[in-house]
Amino acid sequence: MNFTRRAALMTSAAIAANVVDPFRAFAQTTPRKGGVFVVHYGAEQRQLNPSIQASTGVYIVSGKIQEPLVDLDAAGNPVGVLAESWESTPDGKTITFKLRRNVTWHDGKPFTSADVQFTAMEMWKKVLNYGTTLQLFLTAVDTPDAHTAIFRYERPMPLNLLLRALPDLGYITAKHLYENGDVRQNPLNLAPVGTGPFKFVQYERGQHIIADRHDGYWKGPANLDRIVWRVITDRSAAAAQMEAGQLHYSPFSGLTISDMARLAKDRRFIVSTKGNEGNARTNTLEFNFRRRELADIKVRQAIAHAINVPFFIENFLGDFAKLGTGPIPSVSTDFYPGPNTPQYPYDKARAIRLLDEAGLRPGAGGTRLTLRLLPAPWGEDISLWATFIQQSLGEVGIRVEVVRNDGGGFLKSVYADHAFDLATGWHQYRNDPAVSTTVWYRSGQPAGAPWTNQWGWKDDVIDKVIDDAATEVDPVKRKALYAEFVTKANAALPLWMPIEQIFVTTITARARNHSNTPRWGSSSWHDLWLAE
Amino acid sequence: MRVLSLAGRRLAASIPTLILILVGVFLLLQFAPGDTVDAMMAQMGGGDARTAEDLRRFYGLDLSVSAQLGNYLWRLVRFDLGFSAIYGKPVATVIAERLPATILLMTASLSFAFFFGLILGVIAARGVNKWPDTLISTVGLIFYATPSFWFGLMAIVVFSIYLQWLPAGGLSDITSTATGIRAVLDTARHLILPTLTLGLIFLAIYLRIMRASMLEVLNLDFVRTARSKGLDETRIITRHVLRNALLPMVTLIGLQAGTMLGGSVVVESVFSLPGLGRLAYESVVQRDLNTLLGIIFVSALLVITVNFIVDLIYARLDPRITTGV
């Protein structure tokens, strides 16, 4: 009797473990060697070197070929890849990395501190998007020996900021292959050479990229024989190819929302946000303060109160999104200040009262105000969200004209020409608010810089909080400063970030050891394998 | 020889058209908001102002529009299509890589549409207003009215997912290492669905033209003469009617060679084929002016060539065109 009860308890515990972590159940079995893993590649990039272009479209390929100094472990903490250890001086101006020994490039040359120095000074500081901002005050990288790199900064660099930025902005490129000529025009940018578990084989533009296992990998050879990235631009076609068994993995919400929801019910696939926690984003609603009416805080508050965000999420985005509470998403455990910052819950009566108080009375046909809304063309959720905003605001007497552009047109109109009243797109959160979040609020951004404060709005107090936080070395004080930032930013409401999303992975149920780190799609996949 | 000089004159006349098209497209794209750096920023998902400024200088976008246009035309005179911003390679190379897939798809579906359009048109014309005619015309209308992306996706759902007979996309099976005849067969298998998808719409047009043309010729005096001579019906159709009814079909091929290039954007996307249509679409979205102008240039050349060949075929089918009677 006792035995039976214990067995029953153990069984239910095992089931519970599966519910909490469906991937763990498979982690115990012995990896099968071999196999070809086929990946959906939705948007071809102009080049594939992650040291000079920070984007998921690059990492999804080159993250298997080149490696960063640091990556994130399963719990989201920095873990050394090409760096073994690191330390910072108390003033935060000198950060020393001890580098891994006995690592070689795919061409057989050894990896040394000279590669780190070259990549940091010539690529991160000069070319890499976001890297140029992050490393603005980097003055030199010293290399006392082949396995030590000392980063010297003019202003304090918080160690935690650097370590959270480096998984994306810390890929190393071989100096001996790049030291001659313009790094941007190096032909190896389309045939990357790295230290990772897979080495580049072939890139047929518009068709596929192939990489094979590198047997000399420093962690030991990977399980897979080969990875193939297939270029498929049509999302529905990609879903069809998943079903036909021609594709194993579609990363970063590469399929349509309806196809992902459909495949989630199919036992052959796993559809989940797991493994993408390091790629959080929020949906925005951006206000142009050059429109007199929108410069009034009451009008902005009214607009936020007029939109029923939970209804939108439930009916259009489903399980893949949740209510947002500001510029720092809740997955960012190091910086999330909690939900008790100024929020704007759905309240139509209040929205109408605020508009009345702002002096916007209904005119002919009940219209108080007409606004142009520019949605970014990146995803179908933005398009749906724009239509939802249009209809919601129509109910409180604000007529919205939706003006749709392609990518280049959108960025130019909003961030360079300021030819918008409302705009909506994605804010990408990159594990630390200083990387790509505070630029949405900091004043003094030059016109034409996409995804920055181009609202015609400036707040000296918020500017100061942002600047202080960026150079604050003490992690506790830093977290408090960012909580203050979110509170003040939500109260001032120069833009609104009411929806939080994490990219969705669609992957074959035969894959093992997948989605086990917060930026798994970008990571090296050295332990990934395919079951029979 | 007369026909050659005729065609030659038409060839010469198309050069000003070509230049007008290129200048027009160049100016039109200047009106589109955003440049290739904006598009690149959009693709990267982020970047700072310094990066953008650097890139503009790198791509030579700091020059004036007239200077950029002048540079382009001067390069074109020397048969230099320039350098592609997206691909980091000469435009000529980029296009040369994509041309085989496009031409393969185009010839396959055009031949399919022409051949079956011809046969079905003849059958429909012979049984005019009887059940074969009604059936063929109705089916043709359905093909014509259905959007090709839907056709393509449904074909994938039926033949690739449910029946698993044919691959769902791509030009060849990358995971296999077949060579020689097996590689050719593999590519052929991959091309069946896209060819049918692209061809069915054109099939509808061809069969209707063929039917109308056949009906017209069947009523002419020489057919009545042939019949009164006692020739059997099949011989009349093949020897006398068909040859005369073919002229409008040949005209249509010349016209549609251009449409086929543009029309394949959708089919190339649905079946993930690396063709010129998708390249053109990407060049517009990425504001890669050099590549787009290069594609227009090559497409125009292709259309001109096809029309030249059509002129020659006219002469073969109808000797009156050569003699000028």
Side-chain angles (χ1 to χ4, degrees), chain A residues 11-267:
Chain A
T11 313
S12 59
I15 292 168
N18 270 346
V19 171
V20 176
D21 184 358
F23 308 111
R24 184 172 297 162
F26 302 118
Q28 311 297 326
T29 36
T30 324
R32 183 177 77 95
K33 294 278 175 191
V36 178
F37 190 63
V38 189
V39 183
H40 173 202
Y41 196 40
E44 278 182 285
Q45 307 289 309
R46 296 188 192 186
Q47 57 88 23
L48 294 172
N49 185 341
S51 306
I52 60 176
Q53 183 178 325
S55 64
T56 49
V58 170
Y59 305 140
I60 187 68
V61 179
S62 308
K64 333 301 164 225
I65 299 165
Q66 287 181 249
E67 290 180 300
L69 284 180
V70 177
D71 204 344
L72 300 176
D73 68 8
N77 296 314
V79 55
V81 182
L82 288 179
E84 277 183 326
S85 64
W86 44 80
E87 57 177 354
S88 170
T89 53
D91 67 356
K93 289 186 177 176
T94 307
I95 295 174
T96 306
F97 286 95
K98 287 283 179 196
L99 305 179
R100 197 169 294 283
R101 288 158 194 272
N102 304 321
V103 175
T104 55
W105 295 98
H106 292 157
D107 65 0
K109 296 260 174 27
F111 156 74
T112 69
S113 55
D115 297 315
V116 177
Q117 181 198 45
F118 177 80
T119 309
M121 297 307 290
E122 299 301 319
M123 295 178 165
W124 301 350
K125 189 173 164 64
K126 289 186 183 166
V127 183
L128 179 66
N129 51 323
Y130 292 120
T132 51
T133 310
L134 181 77
Q135 308 291 3
L136 188 61
F137 298 109
L138 176 71
T139 52
V141 177
D142 294 344
T143 52
D145 62 62
H147 302 288
T148 308
I150 303 171
F151 284 62
R152 300 202 182 276
Y153 289 93
E154 198 181 317
R155 295 192 190 174
M157 165 62 81
L159 181 62
N160 272 337
L161 162 57
L162 188 63
L163 292 177
R164 279 186 170 64
L166 283 184
D168 274 355
L169 306 177
Y171 279 85
I172 306 293
T173 296
K175 180 184 179 185
H176 66 275
L177 299 172
Y178 273 78
E179 56 192 338
N180 298 319
D182 186 342
V183 295
R184 265 193 285 248
Q185 284 180 303
N186 194 310
L188 293 177
N189 288 338
L190 284 166
V193 175
T195 54
F198 294 90
K199 55 185 176 196
F200 174 84
V201 175
Q202 187 196 31
Y203 186 0
E204 285 285 333
R205 276 277 182 176
Q207 292 190 69
H208 58 255
I209 305 173
I210 297 173
D212 279 349
R213 186 183 59 232
H214 172 53
D215 287 323
Y217 184 52
W218 56 270
K219 266 188 207 175
N223 294 320
L224 297 168
D225 281 341
R226 170 173 275 199
I227 302 173
V228 174
W229 292 264
R230 294 202 39 207
V231 178
I232 304 164
T233 48
D234 187 277
R235 287 164 183 255
S236 307
Q241 298 201 16
M242 290 280 310
E243 285 190 272
Q246 285 188 301
L247 272 184
H248 294 131
Y249 170 49
S250 177
F252 307 130
S253 306
L255 308 179
T256 62
I257 295 175
S258 57
D259 275 333
M260 289 190 292
R262 189 167 56 83
L263 294 185
K265 295 184 196 122
D266 190 324
R267 292 172 57 86

Side-chain angles (χ1 to χ4, degrees), chain B residues 84-263:
Chain B
S84 159
I86 332 174
Y87 294 94
K89 288 193 258 195
V91 170
T93 317
V94 174
I95 293 177
E97 283 170 3
R98 298 291 185 106
L99 213 51
T102 308
I103 292 183
L104 207 61
L105 182 63
M106 196 173 79
T107 10
S109 46
L110 212 54
S111 329
F112 165 81
F114 186 84
F115 183 70
F116 286 96
L118 194 145
I119 292 180
L120 290 175
V122 169
I123 296 175
R126 287 198 64 181
V128 67
N129 292 335
K130 290 190 210 120
W131 73 264
D133 179 33
T134 318
L135 181 73
I136 289 172
S137 299
T138 312
V139 171
L141 206 62
I142 290 172
F143 287 157
Y144 187 63
T146 317
S148 53
F149 75 89
W150 189 85
F151 243 141
L153 285 173
M154 285 307 119
I156 292 176
V157 167
V158 174
F159 293 104
S160 303
I161 298 176
Y162 283 107
L163 299 174
Q164 307 220 330
W165 287 352
L166 293 165
L171 195 57
S172 59
D173 185 359
I174 325 153
T175 49
S176 91
T177 48
T179 47
I181 187 75
R182 297 188 61 179
V184 173
L185 284 178
D186 180 49
T187 304
R189 255 165 56 81
H190 279 81
L191 275 178
I192 292 177
L193 289 183
T195 302
L196 286 181
T197 308
L198 192 57
L200 280 179
I201 290 165
F202 292 103
L203 171 76
I205 303 173
Y206 282 117
L207 82 85
R208 291 196 72 81
I209 295 283
M210 193 62 207
R211 178 178 170 274
S213 169
M214 284 287 290
L215 288 178
E216 200 184 307
V217 178
L218 275 171
N219 285 331
L220 293 181
D221 287 345
F222 74 91
V223 179
R224 198 173 304 137
T225 315
R227 281 206 181 109
S228 55
K229 275 200 305 191
L231 290 182
D232 69 284
E233 193 66 16
T234 317
R235 203 172 155 79
I236 294 172
I237 295 285
T238 49
R239 297 294 299 251
H240 296 264
V241 183
L242 198 58
R243 189 163 175 165
N244 284 286
L246 265 181
L247 274 181
M249 291 281 276
V250 175
T251 313
L252 207 61
I253 280 211
L255 288 174
Q256 282 189 336
T259 325
M260 279 273 193
L261 284 173

